[in-house]
Amino acid sequence: MIRDLMRLPKLRSEAYLGWVRSLPCCGCGVQGRVHAHHCIADRYGSSKHSDLACMPLCPDCHTELHSDWPAWEARQGAQWRHVFQTLDRAASMGVLVVDARAAKELA
């Protein structure tokens, strides 16, 4: 399933990233100074994932994750879990809407 998500088109949306930055950090809960972190698992040397594959992180947690993401995940949980929670929140708040045609194309 995650592998399938990684093959989705690399969608870019500054509006969505801005919304992600408005959320509390998924590492420590701090608000107001948050980055939209793109999931990095096994993508070193390649381009970023879609903007939909991001999660909110404060600068401290973001630096910590980039310095040793396996250790960060051991403490905080898998990045993809946080990405899915962010997407779920976006969908439940109406920030992210997938119409029937788009859903069919993604299936």
Side-chain angles (χ1 to χ4, degrees), residues 98-106:
V98 179
D99 66 25
R101 191 187 86 192
K104 186 176 181 180
E105 289 176 13
L106 293 172

Side-chain angles (χ1 to χ4, degrees), residues 22-39:
S22 75
L23 301 174
C25 173
C26 62
C28 69
V30 73
Q31 291 185 289
R33 54 183 192 96
V34 174
H35 299 168
H37 164 75
H38 290 80
C39 192

Side-chain angles (χ1 to χ4, degrees), residues 5-53:
L5 283 172
M6 292 170 60
R7 287 185 224 152
L8 289 174
K10 291 185 169 61
L11 302 172
R12 299 289 175 232
S13 172
E14 189 55 43
Y16 182 73
L17 295 178
W19 177 81
V20 171
R21 291 182 200 107
S22 75
L23 301 174
C25 173
C26 62
C28 69
V30 73
Q31 291 185 289
R33 54 183 192 96
V34 174
H35 299 168
H37 164 75
H38 290 80
C39 192
I40 62 171
D42 298 327
R43 74 154 172 81
Y44 290 107
S46 66
S47 61
K48 287 181 181 177
H49 290 305
S50 165
D51 284 348
L52 297 178

Side-chain angles (χ1 to χ4, degrees), residues 14-96:
E14 189 55 43
Y16 182 73
L17 295 178
W19 177 81
V20 171
R21 291 182 200 107
S22 75
L23 301 174
C25 173
C26 62
C28 69
V30 73
Q31 291 185 289
R33 54 183 192 96
V34 174
H35 299 168
H37 164 75
H38 290 80
C39 192
I40 62 171
D42 298 327
R43 74 154 172 81
Y44 290 107
S46 66
S47 61
K48 287 181 181 177
H49 290 305
S50 165
D51 284 348
L52 297 178
C54 67
M55 61 194 209
L57 285 177
C58 73
D60 295 337
C61 290
H62 202 178
T63 298
E64 183 182 325
L65 187 147
H66 276 278
S67 67
D68 188 357
W69 67 264
W72 188 93
E73 286 188 340
R75 287 187 307 279
Q76 302 290 347
Q79 294 172 71
W80 283 106
R81 180 178 63 109
H82 294 289
V83 167
F84 291 139
Q85 289 172 338
T86 303
L87 288 168
D88 184 58
R89 188 171 184 179
S92 69
M93 294 177 70
V95 172
L96 180 65

